[in-house]
């Protein structure tokens, strides 16, 4: 039987505000346990939440960037459950009246654009975390993260494969980072994803029973977990079993998902409107103000790169996947006016260096100015492409500018025709047999002479000039 | 008259002209406490040391002309408002050792007005009760009859004022917890409009209903206290940025031509005949002084109690979730795991009434029941609010009895929660509608128990309440009595 996979994702993104959502404590990651807390985020009696306006504005940015409708009025609700990392015994979230609804983003699926619906985006507070001591039967509570603002972005069940889900997640991540409202760090938990997945026989209209997957802390793991889960569900169905609605945890080490709790064990969160907070009223003027603050988004930038710089769509998507990388590329282009060359160097050597060392473009030793300078030096014939390969290695290692490296190593390309002619003559004289064979029709020997010239000049000869001169002189 | 028997405005006069000192006033209050507190039990904790040094500071301020409106005035605080560095228990075992690192906004305001805090007043546990009998620290007794309850939940605050163990006090009112004990103890009590007085630092019972207000010996004192308490607080999202008038200017203004709404639903069978008679006399006094009675109807009154006992417990079940033994307050001495720690801590820490309301509230919010209970109650609440909006188109003020009966005996209703809940039947609608309400003494029963009547006004019309109450107070010529203790 052929099956269709149905996936919907719930993404939690930590917002990059300086202070927490309902108090003035710092949102900085790290810090000694409970150092970023106050009576409010410690859940002490009698203290009251006051909404951080920045959180609303950041959430509005994401709503606009995902084509969502921002509700004129939204409100907060309490999600009630007991856990030591939840100091009030409830999480302030949004339930019946979220900030925005009915959005979408576009994915490239096999060359076609596909809309993935976004059901809703809402604001909420993060919980703290528990620290367990192996040598001691106690657990400790660190509430530094309690009250850090989050947005939850809930998709429609529109994805049809784990790869599509991973792609959606990357696009969403890209947008958040472009908006500079989330640092997108999955390992530190500032970008987290839960997935709902089900299968159904191809052609069936009703959805199958879904499972919810948690604990996937990288794009790769999201895809792996989904792939595993789809196979597990198919195996079950094909062997006469049924899928049970439940929450399952991804076990990275084993590469499997395991049941965490069944539907029956699911919490009853007893949501109700939070009486300590008033509805958030968003008027058109506020929306327009936020809309004006939006930067160019990844999709638009990708399209502009293709049309303005005449680079392939693939290159454009690699370059724009990271805002800082795209900024770097554009800076290089601005300085050297050679988009295709800039794209090749950035996507080739620069990214290779960075990937090898797991470095961020923001910390790249090769500045955009230096790279642009190098490209210009190739263009004006000062250095050859081959020399550039060595120079860029040196630039990455030392952070020096190409001109400095060229000067230090005496690497300037020999373009002087008389000097090159002299060298060629010496080589012709030293290799009479090869010369004779060439002249009697063995044209393949042309490469031999090029090699000899390069060897004699330690690679500094301008290849184009060498070609021209050799063609003339070898004929005799 | 002893100093501790005087009103704020009388003491202000004496302190200003140097007839007495803040220290003498404080001493007089603590002498009274020494004499009667053992029998009345108004306080959970006394703050004598702090009070004496605050009184000394008040005297300095008075001498240097830096005195605030309450300089040297001994004030009791219901143990539900957080006091920095001073144990705040909310009448509960679960918070018996909780020391807040912050002051409630009202505490800050009172302190900067110069008030001298006498102590933390007794209350029903988490303000859940109408008799102060659910306090973990034992009941407060009614100063007029020590075998009777003072009302609740702010029974300690009311009794302290009635017994002259302070000059004024602070209470909180979620369904009548200021007005009912004020009536039963024969003092003035005001529940302001929701959003008028900051809730910051008030330990939450039902957040959409809770409001802080004063207990005083007369109406003018109520105005003086409101001048200090009222105002917008940026620390509270539901605080309202409405202009705060000088409430004292309303004292003594006439009410010529005012329409006094008499809601038929509040004059029903079952009201104690002495209460009924006293309120009727009071109506006559007001009519004689320019008020015109009009019959009005608040048609959804019969649903108030039911709506209240869904919304208040629902909010409470969530508000009280934080008392889990993890961070502060009581933690059970032994537990094998987290779940056991939660269960034992909450079992040991909460009293029966609090548990009852947590259970009711949890049920009302549960999936499958939410629509039938919480949601329906919220809809009916809107209708109750609408009743008042309609009523205030026909009248300036609504007048009702504060309670259906005078103070009942200690233990009389503890086994019958529904009977207990009925003692708030006339006060609950006010909180559901968010409007202000004030209880004013209007006489005594033959047995010498105080009777109170209630004035209600539209949102932010506390001034009107003070105005009519002062007219009544001046003209009723109720016999000045003090409880014999």
């Amino acid at each position: 039987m052929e099956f269709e996979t149905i996936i919907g994702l719930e993404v939690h993104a930590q917002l990059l505000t300086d202070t927490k959502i309902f108090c003035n404590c710092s949102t900085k990651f790290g810090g000694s346990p409970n150092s970023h807390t106050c009576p409010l985020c410690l859940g002490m009696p009698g203290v009251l939440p006051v909404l951080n306006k920045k959180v609303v504005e950041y959430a509005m940015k994401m709503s606009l960037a995902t084509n969502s409708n921002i509700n004129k009025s939204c409100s907060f609700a309490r999600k009630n459950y007991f856990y030591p990392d939840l100091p009030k015994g409830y999480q302030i979230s949004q339930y019946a009246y979220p900030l925005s609804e009915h959005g979408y983003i576009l994915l490239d699926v096999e060359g076609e654009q596909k809309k993935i619906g976004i059901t809703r985006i809402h604001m909420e507070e993060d919980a703290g975390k528990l620290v367990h001591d192996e040598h001691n039967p106690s657990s400790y509570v660190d509430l530094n993260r309690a009250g850090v603002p989050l947005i939850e972005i809930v998709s429609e069940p529109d994805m049809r494969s784990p790869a599509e889900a991973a792609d959606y997640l990357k696009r969403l991540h890209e947008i958040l980072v472009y908006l500079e409202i989330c640092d997108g760090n999955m390992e530190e938990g500032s970008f987290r994803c839960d997935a709902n997945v089900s299968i159904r026989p191809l052609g069936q209209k009703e959805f199958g029973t879904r499972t919810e997957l948690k604990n996937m802390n990288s794009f790769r793991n999201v895809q792996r977990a989904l792939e595993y889960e789809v196979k597990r569900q198919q195996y079950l169905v094909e062997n006469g079993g049924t899928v049970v609605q439940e929450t399952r945890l991804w076990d990275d080490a084993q590469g499997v998902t395991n049941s965490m709790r069944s539907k029956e064990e699911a919490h009853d969160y007893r949501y109700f409107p939070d009486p300590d907070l008033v509805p958030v009223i968003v008027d058109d003027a506020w929306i327009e103000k936020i809309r004006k603050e939006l930067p160019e988004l990844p999709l638009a930038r990708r399209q502009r790169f293709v049309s303005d710089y005449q680079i392939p769509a693939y290159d454009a998507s690699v370059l724009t996947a990271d805002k800082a990388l795209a900024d770097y590329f554009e800076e290089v282009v601005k300085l050297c006016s050679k988009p295709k060359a800039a794209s090749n160097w950035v996507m080739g050597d620069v990214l290779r260096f960075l990937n090898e060392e797991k470095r961020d473009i923001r910390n790249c030793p090769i500045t955009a100015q230096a790279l642009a300078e190098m490209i210009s030096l190739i263009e004006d014939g000062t250095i050859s492409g081959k020399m550039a390969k060595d120079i860029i290695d040196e630039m990455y290692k030392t952070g020096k500018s190409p001109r400095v490296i060229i000067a230090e190593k005496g690497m300037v390309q020999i373009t002087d025709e008389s000097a090159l002619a002299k060298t060629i003559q010496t080589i012709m004289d030293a290799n009479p047999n090869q010369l004779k064979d060439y002249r009697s029709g063995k044209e393949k020997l042309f490469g031999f002479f090029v090699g000899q010239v390069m060897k004699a000049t330690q690679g500094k000869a301008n290849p184009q000039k060498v070609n021209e001169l050799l063609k003339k002189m070898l004929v005799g | 008259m002893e100093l501790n028997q005087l009103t704020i405005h009388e003491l202000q006069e004496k302190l200003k002209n140097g007839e007495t000192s803040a220290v003498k006033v404080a001493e007089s209050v603590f002498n009274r406490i020494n004499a009667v507190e053992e029998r009345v039990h108004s306080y959970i904790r006394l703050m004598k040391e702090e009070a004496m040094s605050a009184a000394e500071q008040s005297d300095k301020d008075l001498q240097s002309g830096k005195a605030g409106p309450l300089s040297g005035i001994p004030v009791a605080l219901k143990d539900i408002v957080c006091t920095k560095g001073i144990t705040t228990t909310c009448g509960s075992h679960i918070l018996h050792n909780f020391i807040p690192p912050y002051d409630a906004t009202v505490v800050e305001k009172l302190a900067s007005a110069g008030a001298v805090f006498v102590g933390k007043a007794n209350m029903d546990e988490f303000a859940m009760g109408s008799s102060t009998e659910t306090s973990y620290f034992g009941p407060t007794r009614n100063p007029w009859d020590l075998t009777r309850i003072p009302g609740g939940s702010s029974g300690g605050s009311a009794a302290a004022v009635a017994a002259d163990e302070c000059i004024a006090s602070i209470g909180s009112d979620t369904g009548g917890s200021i007005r009912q004990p004020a009536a039963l103890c024969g003092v003035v009590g005001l529940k302001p409009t929701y959003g008028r007085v900051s809730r910051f630092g008030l330990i939450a019972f039902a957040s959409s209903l809770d409001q802080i207000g004063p207990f005083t010996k007369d109406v003018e004192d109520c105005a003086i206290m409101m001048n200090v308490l009222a105002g917008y607080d940026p620390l509270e999202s539901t605080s309202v940025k409405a202009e705060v008038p000088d409430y004292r200017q309303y004292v003594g203004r006439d009410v010529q031509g005012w329409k006094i709404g008499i809601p038929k639903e509040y004059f029903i069978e079952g009201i104690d005949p002495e209460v009924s008679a006293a309120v009727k006399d009071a109506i006559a006094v007001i009519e004689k002084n320019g008020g015109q009675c009009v019959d009005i109807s608040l048609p959804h009154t019969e649903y108030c109690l039911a709506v209240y006992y869904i919304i208040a417990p629902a909010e409470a079940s969530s508000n009280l979730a934080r008392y889990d033994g993890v961070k502060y307050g009581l933690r059970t001495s032994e537990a094998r795991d987290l779940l056991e720690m939660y269960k034992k801590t909450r079992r040991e820490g909460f009293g029966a009434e609090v548990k009852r309301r947590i259970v009711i509230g949890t049920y009302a919010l549960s999936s499958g029941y939410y629509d039938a209970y919480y949601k329906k109650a919220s809809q009916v609440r809107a209708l109750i609010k609408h009743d008042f909006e309609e009523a205030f188109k026909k009248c300036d003020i609504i007048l009702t009895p504060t309670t259906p009966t005078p103070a009942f005996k200690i233990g009389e209703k503890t086994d019958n929660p529904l009977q207990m809940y009925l003692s708030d039947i006339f006060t609950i609608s006010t909180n559901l509608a968010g409007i202000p309400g004030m209880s004013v003494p209007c006489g005594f029963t033959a047995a010498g128990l105080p009777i109170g009547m209630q004035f209600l006004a539209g949102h932010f019309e506390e001034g009107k309440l003070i105005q009519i109450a002062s007219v009544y107070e001046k003209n009723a010529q109720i016999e000045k009595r003090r409880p014999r203790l």
Side-chain angles (χ1 to χ4, degrees):
Chain A
M1 200 192 294
E2 271 217 68
F3 290 98
E4 186 177 32
T5 301
I6 313 287
I7 299 170
L9 298 182
E10 287 170 22
V11 168
H12 285 89
Q14 249 178 33
L15 299 180
L16 278 174
T17 53
D18 294 334
T19 54
K20 292 185 179 179
I21 182 166
F22 298 120
C23 63
N24 286 323
C25 290
S26 165
T27 55
K28 269 212 189 81
F29 184 76
S32 58
N34 300 307
S35 57
H36 299 160
T37 59
C38 70
L40 190 117
C41 54
L42 292 175
M44 287 200 169
V47 291
L48 296 167
V50 177
L51 178 62
N52 180 345
K53 193 175 171 189
K54 264 265 144 65
V55 172
V56 184
E57 298 197 332
Y58 282 12
M60 283 167 73
K61 282 189 181 177
M62 190 57 184
S63 300
L64 293 173
T66 54
N67 313 291
S68 302
N69 293 328
I70 296 176
N71 291 318
K72 297 273 174 268
S73 169
C74 67
S75 56
F76 288 91
R78 292 185 184 176
K79 179 179 180 178
N80 296 284
Y81 64 96
F82 285 95
Y83 205 60
D85 68 5
L86 192 69
K88 298 187 294 299
Y90 59 84
Q91 179 195 29
I92 303 178
S93 180
Q94 295 195 291
Y95 187 61
Y97 306 99
L99 176 74
S100 68
E101 294 170 277
H102 314 304
Y104 67 88
I105 65 166
L106 294 170
L107 298 188
D108 271 334
V109 176
E110 289 155 13
E112 304 259 314
Q113 280 203 329
K114 177 175 174 177
K115 253 189 196 182
I116 304 294
I118 290 182
T119 316
R120 54 187 273 150
I121 296 177
H122 74 241
M123 303 172 274
E124 61 186 25
E125 58 178 345
D126 210 342
K129 63 177 182 194
L130 297 191
V131 183
H132 303 286
D133 185 345
E134 278 176 57
H135 310 291
N136 185 329
S138 308
S139 294
Y140 300 89
V141 185
D142 178 3
L143 295 175
N144 281 349
R145 203 179 65 180
V148 167
L150 297 175
I151 48 174
E152 180 172 333
I153 305 155
V154 181
S155 85
E156 291 289 308
D158 283 351
M159 286 151 276
R160 292 291 171 268
S161 71
E164 223 173 281
D167 191 25
Y168 163 82
L169 207 55
K170 281 179 195 154
R171 296 300 154 230
L172 217 55
H173 182 268
E174 220 172 63
I175 295 170
L176 286 163
V177 174
Y178 262 70
L179 293 171
E180 294 175 339
I181 60 172
C182 173
D183 69 15
N185 190 324
M186 286 184 92
E187 270 142 39
E188 286 175 9
S190 37
F191 183 85
R192 315 196 273 270
C193 170
D194 299 335
N196 285 300
V197 55
S198 64
I199 57 165
R200 64 181 170 195
L202 207 58
Q204 181 183 304
K205 273 207 171 134
E206 305 79 43
F207 290 139
T209 304
R210 68 190 154 86
T211 57
E212 186 183 4
L213 305 185
K214 286 182 178 289
N215 197 37
M216 305 159 290
N217 60 355
S218 69
F219 294 115
R220 202 173 92 86
N221 279 342
V222 170
Q223 191 165 343
R224 280 175 68 206
L226 283 167
E227 279 162 358
Y228 173 86
E229 184 60 18
V230 168
K231 273 191 205 137
R232 190 189 69 86
Q233 292 187 9
Q234 281 186 9
Y235 180 85
L236 264 178
V237 173
E238 280 168 349
N239 290 278
T242 46
V243 177
V244 183
Q245 189 177 334
E246 61 183 352
T247 303
R248 300 180 67 86
L249 283 187
W250 169 245
D251 180 334
D252 188 22
Q254 304 296 316
V256 298
T257 63
N258 294 309
S259 181
M260 178 177 133
R261 59 170 175 249
S262 69
K263 188 188 172 190
E264 286 72 30
E265 292 164 319
H267 292 295
D268 178 355
Y269 290 121
R270 292 173 282 119
Y271 281 102
F272 76 106
D274 191 326
D276 286 331
L277 290 158
V278 291
V280 180
I281 307 298
V282 181
D283 61 14
D284 290 338
W286 196 9
I287 294 176
E288 283 323 301
K289 178 185 162 271
I290 297 300
R291 199 189 297 280
K292 286 200 185 94
E293 290 172 19
L294 290 183
E296 185 181 29
L297 292 170
L299 184 62
R301 198 169 200 186
R302 205 162 293 147
Q303 287 161 351
R304 181 169 60 82
F305 276 21
V306 172
S307 62
D308 285 12
Y309 301 136
Q310 304 288 313
I311 57 173
Y314 174 77
D315 294 20
S317 86
V318 172
L319 290 170
T320 53
D322 175 359
K323 182 167 190 270
L325 185 69
D327 290 345
Y328 178 90
F329 166 75
E330 288 214 274
E331 182 68 16
V332 175
V333 173
K334 203 176 97 190
L335 295 167
C336 74
S337 312
K338 293 284 169 209
K340 183 64 198 153
S343 156
N344 287 343
W345 283 103
V346 172
M347 288 181 50
D349 298 64
V350 173
L351 277 187
R352 181 169 49 81
F353 293 142
L354 295 174
N355 287 340
E356 276 166 10
E357 291 193 23
K358 294 218 180 313
R359 247 176 145 148
D360 191 283
I361 185 70
R362 275 164 283 239
N363 304 317
C364 182
I366 304 171
T367 63
Q369 288 79 353
L371 184 60
E373 190 181 303
M374 195 194 79
I375 292 167
S376 302
L377 289 170
I378 299 168
E379 288 304 319
D380 69 16
T382 311
I383 55 172
S384 67
K386 189 171 173 303
M387 288 161 75
K389 286 275 182 196
D390 295 334
I391 292 169
I392 199 164
D393 267 345
E394 200 63 21
M395 285 163 68
Y396 188 77
K397 274 184 215 140
T398 63
K400 288 177 182 166
S401 84
R403 282 186 203 284
V404 171
I405 293 166
I406 290 163
E408 277 176 6
K409 305 215 162 178
M411 285 175 88
V412 177
Q413 182 166 248
I414 303 166
T415 44
D416 176 4
E417 287 194 17
S418 61
L420 283 174
K422 210 184 258 174
T423 308
I424 291 169
Q425 193 54 57
T426 316
I427 288 164
M428 283 163 61
D429 293 347
N431 298 284
N433 292 337
Q434 282 85 346
L435 184 64
K436 205 170 86 190
D437 287 353
Y438 180 83
R439 285 183 175 165
S440 60
K442 266 199 168 175
E443 286 187 13
K444 266 199 260 172
L445 281 164
F446 188 78
F448 165 78
F449 288 102
V450 172
Q452 291 298 310
V453 176
M454 284 304 180
K455 199 175 158 192
T457 58
Q458 291 164 313
K460 292 181 206 166
N462 179 325
Q464 225 176 320
K465 285 265 151 52
V466 172
N467 275 351
E468 284 167 21
L469 285 171
L470 273 175
K471 270 183 188 152
K472 256 191 267 167
M473 293 170 67
L474 287 175
V475 177
Chain B
M1 282 245 273
E2 299 292 329
L3 289 170
N4 64 305
Q5 296 179 325
L6 300 178
T7 62
I8 298 174
H9 54 93
E10 287 163 349
L11 282 170
Q12 278 177 335
E13 209 49 46
K14 287 189 189 301
L15 288 165
K16 210 167 87 186
N17 61 28
E19 232 177 286
T20 187
S21 71
V23 168
K24 279 184 196 152
V25 175
E27 277 168 353
S28 153
V29 163
F30 280 99
N31 286 339
R32 175 67 173 174
I33 288 170
N34 279 340
V36 305
E37 173 62 7
E38 208 181 329
R39 281 168 286 157
V40 181
H41 192 225
S42 300
Y43 292 98
I44 289 174
R45 165 178 299 263
L46 290 166
M47 294 164 58
K48 188 169 182 188
E49 225 172 279
E50 293 90 344
M52 293 320 295
S53 71
E56 279 167 29
Q57 184 59 47
S58 286
D59 281 331
K60 281 183 204 153
D61 292 345
L62 283 158
Q63 274 157 24
S64 61
K66 281 188 287 185
L70 294 178
S71 278
I73 305 298
V75 173
L77 300 168
K78 186 178 183 179
D79 206 19
I80 196 168
V81 292
C82 288
T83 38
K84 189 175 178 175
I86 290 161
T87 312
T88 301
T89 69
C90 219
S92 181
H93 187 204
I94 212 156
L95 284 176
H96 72 286
N97 58 356
F98 174 64
I99 302 175
Y102 46 91
D103 271 331
T105 298
V106 294
V107 172
E108 267 183 16
K109 284 188 164 197
L110 289 166
S112 54
V116 171
F117 298 130
V118 182
K120 304 297 292 282
N122 198 14
M123 57 182 285
D124 280 299
E125 185 181 7
F126 283 102
M128 296 176 188
S130 309
S131 66
T132 317
E133 289 168 292
T134 71
S135 170
Y136 173 70
F137 302 93
T140 296
R141 292 183 186 81
N142 193 315
W144 298 92
D145 177 349
L146 294 172
T147 67
R148 290 176 189 270
I149 57 96
S153 65
S154 312
S157 302
V161 173
D164 297 315
E165 292 183 280
C166 64
I167 306 302
S169 67
I170 292 299
S172 66
D173 188 318
T174 305
S177 283
I178 290 174
R179 291 158 290 154
Q180 186 255 20
L184 303 191
C185 289
V187 298
V188 174
L190 171 67
K191 181 208 91 80
T193 307
Y194 186 75
R196 173 91 289 183
V197 174
S198 171
R199 290 189 295 121
F200 182 86
L202 168 72
I203 298 181
F205 160 15
S207 314
S208 74
L209 302 162
D210 297 342
Q211 189 62 201
I212 289 174
F215 287 93
T216 54
K217 294 180 186 183
D218 70 7
V219 175
E220 184 166 359
D221 278 8
C222 179
I224 294 169
M225 289 291 279
M226 280 303 289
N227 278 349
V228 174
L229 296 173
Y232 172 72
D233 183 0
L235 296 178
E236 184 202 330
S237 305
T238 50
S239 179
V240 178
K241 274 183 189 160
E243 205 192 321
V244 180
D246 173 8
Y247 290 109
R248 220 168 165 172
Q249 70 178 320
Y250 295 96
V251 176
R253 278 197 199 166
D254 74 61
V255 295
Q256 211 62 45
W258 278 25
K259 293 207 166 59
I260 315 300
I262 309 294
K264 61 174 189 224
E265 293 83 0
Y266 285 66
F267 290 84
I268 41 168
E269 267 184 57
I271 301 181
D272 183 283
E274 286 184 292
V275 171
S276 196
V279 174
K280 280 186 183 134
D281 289 349
I283 293 172
V285 171
I286 288 164
E287 281 185 313
K288 222 171 114 188
N289 286 279
Q292 297 168 13
C293 286
V294 289
D295 289 332
I296 58 159
S297 172
L298 298 164
H300 295 92
T301 299
E302 61 174 309
Y303 303 111
C304 287
L305 208 61
V307 166
Y308 178 84
Y309 276 99
I310 290 168
I311 289 179
E315 292 181 9
S317 71
S318 174
N319 283 332
L320 272 59
R322 65 188 64 199
Y323 310 114
D324 56 6
V326 173
K327 307 158 295 272
Y328 47 75
L330 180 78
R331 180 190 291 179
T332 189
S333 50
E334 246 175 81
R336 277 163 307 183
D337 56 30
L338 180 66
L339 192 61
E340 194 180 72
M341 184 183 93
Y342 281 157
K343 285 181 170 176
K344 283 181 74 180
T345 298
R346 289 168 70 83
R347 190 184 305 143
E348 293 162 19
F350 290 134
E353 184 59 29
V354 172
K355 284 176 188 156
R356 181 177 2 258
R357 297 200 197 188
I358 291 173
V359 171
I360 293 171
T362 303
Y363 181 81
L365 290 176
S366 296
S367 130
Y369 298 98
Y370 179 89
D371 285 357
Y373 291 102
Y374 185 85
K375 193 174 168 194
K376 182 63 75 182
S378 301
Q379 289 164 340
V380 178
R381 182 180 182 176
L383 296 175
I384 291 163
K385 202 174 165 184
H386 182 73
D387 279 358
F388 281 102
E389 284 161 7
E390 288 301 306
F392 284 121
K393 287 178 186 164
K394 300 193 188 92
C395 61
D396 298 282
I397 283 283
I398 293 172
L399 192 158
T400 79
T402 310
T403 61
T405 65
F408 46 90
K409 292 271 189 187
I410 289 175
E412 189 181 324
K413 294 184 178 176
T414 41
D415 293 334
N416 191 338
L418 283 179
Q419 271 296 314
M420 184 77 88
Y421 297 169
L422 281 170
S423 67
D424 288 332
I425 188 142
F426 298 144
T427 48
I428 274 174
S429 58
T430 320
N431 301 75
L432 292 171
I435 57 172
M438 185 173 187
S439 181
V440 182
C442 67
F444 293 89
T445 63
L449 295 173
I451 299 168
M453 70 167 158
Q454 175 177 241
F455 294 114
L456 306 176
H459 290 99
F460 299 101
E461 292 186 337
E462 287 82 358
K464 273 189 175 176
L465 296 178
I466 287 166
Q467 189 167 342
I468 193 161
S470 72
V471 167
Y472 170 75
E473 184 184 58
K474 190 176 150 205
N475 295 292
Q477 288 174 328
I478 294 190
E479 186 193 348
K480 288 267 183 209
R481 290 193 211 174
R482 307 205 96 82
R484 278 188 297 262
L485 278 162

